Amino acid sequence: MYWTLELASHLEDAPWPATKDELIDYAIRSGAPVEVIENLQALEDDGEPYENIEEVWPDYPTKDDFLFNEDEY
């Protein structure tokens, strides 16, 4: 399983919180690449919903990861 920013971006608008099956269903319905669906199928399924994209891919960059100062604009 591997994630890239491009692949993970297909899940940004997913209906969080969501179970593994709900995420797979969302990815299929939204036309996400096959790699996204394969990555989701490889996730552990303990029955608990994932609260956000960071629980699916812990290295997902957040707003704090970018050195952009909103106050300047």
Side-chain angles (χ1 to χ4, degrees):
M1 175 173 70
Y2 68 94
W3 287 101
T4 65
L5 188 55
E6 181 182 352
L7 292 176
S9 69
H10 291 279
L11 297 177
E12 285 181 343
D13 294 329
W16 302 105
T19 63
K20 175 182 171 179
D21 290 337
E22 290 171 336
L23 290 173
I24 292 171
D25 183 58
Y26 172 80
I28 292 169
R29 288 185 294 109
S30 65
V34 174
E35 292 87 352
V36 173
I37 298 164
E38 290 172 350
N39 285 348
L40 291 171
Q41 290 172 337
L43 290 174
E44 293 182 22
D45 189 10
D46 59 1
E48 293 293 318
Y50 293 92
E51 296 295 324
N52 52 42
I53 187 73
E54 288 86 7
E55 288 188 14
V56 173
W57 184 35
D59 293 334
Y60 186 76
T62 62
K63 192 175 185 180
D64 296 335
D65 293 332
F66 298 100
L67 300 175
F68 181 75
N69 187 353
E70 292 179 352
D71 296 334
E72 290 181 7
Y73 297 98

